Amino acid sequence: MNFKRLFLIGVLLTLPLLGYAQRYNLQIYSVNKGLPHSQVHSLLQTSDGFLWAGTYGGGLAKFDGRDFTTYTINDGLKDNSIEIIYEDSKENLWVSTYRSGIAKMVGDQFVYPFNNSILDTSEVYAVQEMSNGELWIGTYRGGVFIHDGSQLRRLTTEDGLKNNTVWDFWEAENGNIWIATDGGLSVLEKDDLVEGTEFKNYTVDDGLSGESIYRIVPHPEDGGLWFASSNGITTWDGSSFSAITEIGGVELDYVYDLIADSDGNMWIGTYADGVFVHSDSTSRHITKENGLSSNHIYDLYEGHDGNIWIATDGAGINRYGGEGFTFYGTESGLNSPKIYSLLEDSRGTIWTGTSNGIFSFDGETFNELPFPDRYENSKEVWDIAELPNGELLFLMPDNAIYKYDGQELTNYSEGENLDLWFTYDLYVDQDSTIWISTDEGLFQQKEGETTHYDRIDGLASSIVYQVYKHKGYLWIATYNGISRYDGTEFKNYTTADGIAHREITYITSDRKGNLWLGTAGGITLMELDENGDVTAIENFGQETGMELVTTQYLWFDKSGMLWQGTNGGIHRLDVPGYWENGDMNLMHYQLSAQGIGIETNQGVVLPVGDNRALFGTMEGVLEVEPDKIEQRSESLSLYISNIKRNSQDVDWQEYTDSLAYKFGRPLFPSVTFPFGQHTYSLSYTAPVFGNASNKIYRYKLEGFDESWSEPTSSETAIFTNLDPGNYNFIVQMKSGNSEWKDNEAQFEFAVAYPFWQTYWFYGLVGISLIGLIYGYIKFRVGMLEKQRLQEQVDEQTKDLQEALAEKEVLIKEIHHRVKNNLAVISGLLELQMGYADNSFVSRVLSESQRRVQSISMIHEKLYQNERLAEIDFEKYVHELINIIAYSFSSPDKDINIDIEIDDFKLGVDQGIPCGLILNEVVSNAFEHAFKGRKEGTIKIRMNEIGKKVRLIIKDDGKGLPENFENIERDSLGVTLVETLSQQLQGEYEMTSNGDGQGTRFSLEFEKEEAPLKVPS
């Protein structure tokens, strides 16, 4: 046993444990975060960056830092209780399930490849690929199964194995294989693998600390082996074993897992006592009191990014984010986690003002300072300052300032006659001047005198948050900008000078002498020259990736990084990178399970030590050690995770026979989508753990976009109405210190051209054009021939039209002459009436004249009409009735004519008889219906009903006489009506009720179509 190993064991046994006074940066993932089951037996990060968790009852979970995807019996597993997850050198994923052997992931499903009844019903506790490519499988009570790629062989106790329950394998550089079993260790030397099986076995009798060995881990420094056992830890130095059953006085008992991290620390997971972390100089004990979700540990795993993952029994997974962030809260001795003020005095004591009193910290414990009795119900301490003589000032709940001389607290405000202003900050200058920042301005308290400054005196605002001394000036943060005071006057810088937000909450400076302002809108850089004059102003806000922009405090670490406290976590800004290339990169640290990040308090920051700071938060004092925060910038894994068209997942069976997968993740092939007005949604993701909110993306669709999109946290890009053509979607991710080009994923696809833009369609169009040209030539020849014939026809037609026009003129002339002749007859009848010697003759001549006029009007309308064979009967009736009414007009009678005629036309063969009937009936009504009366009404209705015409003439006169049929049947008028009705092939009816109800005449006949229009 070498001296170094003896020393190591002594350290483990005697070194006091660190851990019970602080809470570590642990992020817990359980069922409330999407983990399918809280009991986790195994962890693995596959080569594509995703973390896999084998739960005992919920199946296998894949985690990308934000969401869990679960595989269960529905995906081919025989059971949802997972024991082991393993990735071999060919990137095959192996998963063992409860009493059902081991499955291999094929595509996005699991299959059980071994047709072995013993293995297929066993629980597999260990899987390891050896240097020769063989896969060794350790089982519960079934021994070891070895798969060489084609055959499966088995090793058991009959072959010399110490126990058939196997927990782990480890292959040494010399090819020897160490096997951890329930009965101790079995070692199979390399030569025995060829010549025959012969094991060398070790038990508790040989120095093992426990009978069962669960894990074998080489120590990263001394080359020895560490073994997790049923009774602590056993170490091997190459020749002998040593047992470690306690660390710092804590019994180890069952240790289920061991890992050596990349920094050389040994992590020890126990069954009931949490986790021990050992390095050469320290040992830390992490339990539930330090933020661990459970003290029952099943598995430990170091991820690619250096995070340590801890699987527990019933409390999910814990991610240990490193020693860079440590919390001190109620578990450390504070009675309140709400930290409102911090100060390190000249003696090195750290004073903490909380929502429930004052505490001093001497490096080991927090001690409470007795509070004045007057503050029984409220003990907030808003600020702490130290006077040059070592006395302390405390800003109390009611804004009174108390002084502490190391023995007692006294009311300083009362002794100095200071009002109780609403105070934000206390600043003590080297000459003992106290500057008090309030909402009523800035107060200077010096040698017992108080001077007040506000807006009237030149301050930018009477609300003052902080006083900061720099380059011989006092710089004053106010609600409306920053004021510079040289002892006599104020110079103000506001939004008008380029500051992004008016409210300045905090001031600090960098090594270049520039001022950095925390504002309600982010951070503002004020570059100063050697005289303290502002030369440039630059602002940083949401465009840099800030989750929240209201700044609570600022702190520069030793490397020049700027730390910003907000109400949504802490940001680290890469100021050195900004000075180098002009880009301000930002990292966001959430540090809380709630919301987007931990809530910090205004102005509560305290630099301590060489490169550490204490931040005041609502969850305790946060110690930040930048040197212990991993700043990794290795390439991350970025993948296209899903593709949708018109909001539906693409059915890849339409485009490829089989879709390839890697660890269940589809590898999308290049495809051609059909033409149309489609919406394409391309989703992408990158497994990032710890600070997933720092992921930002940009993308570009080559063939569509000319430049990159604006940086975004969205993990989906949407494109609409893509034109036909080839496209290449490129997405890049940036996280922390990585560069855009380091993390990239692509997907090539095409949008098909419509059929009218394809080559076959062009060919079809060409052939069609040739056919059209040929057809056109034939058609043209035919047309020319037809044109020649048409010219002959047109010539003949012209002759016919001229003849027809002559005929039309002749017909019009005939109608005109007939009308004129009838007018002559009418005139002769009118002359003859002048010579009639009695009324009967005069009446007969008048009736004859009206009949002639009705016929004459028909001929007049015909030769005036475009069509010579029909007349507008509505117009004709109105003119005819006007003539009749005029002929019967009398100054002592008022006969009203009510006419409603449909707009239709009648041919001459029906127009003449219809007009004569109208003349006879209306004339008869004028002549006989109103004898002995001074007024009356004649209603004329003529309607076109379907193919029939109905004429109704009705008066409200005295009616027909009782013996009308016998008296009037032989009269000329009645005879004309009957004869003309027969000529129209119609039926007429003349009725009267007598008794002054008037007479009603109705006629209905079929309308005949007039001859066709004469061509013009």
Side-chain angles (χ1 to χ4, degrees), residues 565-584:
T566 75
N567 284 333
I570 294 173
H571 297 135
R572 190 204 70 220
L573 287 80
D574 185 5
V575 174
Y578 169 74
W579 292 126
E580 182 178 346
N581 55 40
D583 293 330
M584 182 66 81

Side-chain angles (χ1 to χ4, degrees), residues 62-128:
K62 181 172 71 172
F63 186 44
D64 64 1
R66 180 178 298 173
D67 301 312
F68 287 92
T69 302
T70 303
Y71 297 85
T72 64
I73 56 176
N74 296 325
D75 303 291
L77 296 175
K78 291 182 179 179
D79 195 275
N80 287 335
S81 295
I82 310 299
E83 291 287 359
I84 295 295
I85 314 169
Y86 183 77
E87 179 187 355
D88 65 22
S89 61
K90 297 179 181 178
E91 296 184 332
N92 294 311
L93 186 66
W94 299 87
V95 177
S96 69
T97 52
Y98 177 71
R99 291 186 178 180
S100 50
I102 186 167
K104 177 182 176 182
M105 185 172 240
V106 178
D108 61 345
Q109 296 287 310
F110 285 92
V111 298
Y112 289 78
F114 303 117
N115 187 18
N116 184 288
S117 59
I118 298 176
L119 178 57
D120 288 344
T121 56
S122 296
E123 291 184 58
V124 174
Y125 287 162
V127 180
Q128 177 71 43

